[in-house]
Amino acid sequence: MSSVSVDGRPQSDPSAVPGQAMRRRNSLRIPHGLSIEAWRSLGQQIQAISSSSSWWLGDWLLYGQSEFPNRYKRAITETSLDYQTLRNYAWVARRFEPHERYGDLSFQHHAEVAGLAPEERGPWLARAQKNGWSRNELRRQMRARKEIAGSARATQLKMKPDDGQRERWQAAALRTGDDLLTWITAVLDDAATSVPTASG
């Protein structure tokens, strides 16, 4: 049977099943006359396997960590992947329980947010999914948010009240049931809202 490899060259394979693509470790042979629907379905299958393999390796390594000694040495031998790559897969997989993983987003999306606090990871992934962000766009958005937060950092106020002021302020805070800092903040907020705005 005549078929076409991924590089477009005609090939024949006596074991090929008519109408089906032949998958090998280092090639994909697609038969002539494959329908557009079958071709699209094949692409979706390939993408799903590619996207899933990082999670599978990460979960496989975590299992090895809990069940077998010398897990990474054995893993490197079995997969021919380098130690750091395997550690990264395991680290990201450990950060996300299966129910926390977004199926519509890549492993790389999750790797981008894996270093964040648990309560921050989900919202970022949800935004990426909702807006259709690529991994690079997610990284850009996170960097921009960090820069905005850094520039908007509050200015530290230094106050040096005398003993009489400190006692009066502390007594007033106690009467309201607030600590001194909360009371001072409330008083300053009230003062700021009572100042008339400049007109035209």
Side-chain angles (χ1 to χ4, degrees), residues 77-96:
T77 302
E78 293 293 325
T79 64
S80 300
L81 294 172
D82 66 80
Y83 178 75
Q84 190 59 49
T85 299
L86 293 174
R87 277 186 56 112
N88 290 344
Y89 288 154
W91 182 73
V92 174
R94 185 180 290 111
R95 304 288 281 181
F96 296 93

Side-chain angles (χ1 to χ4, degrees), residues 138-155:
L138 172 59
R139 179 185 293 173
R140 193 187 72 73
Q141 292 285 340
M142 289 173 61
R143 190 175 294 142
R145 181 70 59 95
K146 187 175 180 180
E147 289 171 2
I148 291 169
S151 64
R153 202 170 285 143
T155 303

Side-chain angles (χ1 to χ4, degrees), residues 171-185:
L174 287 173
R175 287 195 298 274
T176 64
D178 291 330
D179 62 78
L180 182 58
L181 182 58
T182 303
W183 179 82
I184 290 172
T185 303

Side-chain angles (χ1 to χ4, degrees), residues 2 5 40 47 77 110 170 195:
S2 178
S5 68
R40 285 178 179 157
Q47 189 278 332
T77 302
H110 292 76
Q170 188 65 54
V195 174

Side-chain angles (χ1 to χ4, degrees), residues 62-76:
L62 293 179
Y63 181 88
Q65 177 182 12
S66 65
E67 297 294 326
F68 307 113
N70 303 319
R71 61 197 179 279
Y72 292 118
K73 286 184 181 178
R74 290 182 181 178
I76 290 167

Side-chain angles (χ1 to χ4, degrees), residues 59 137 148:
D59 290 337
E137 180 61 17
I148 291 169

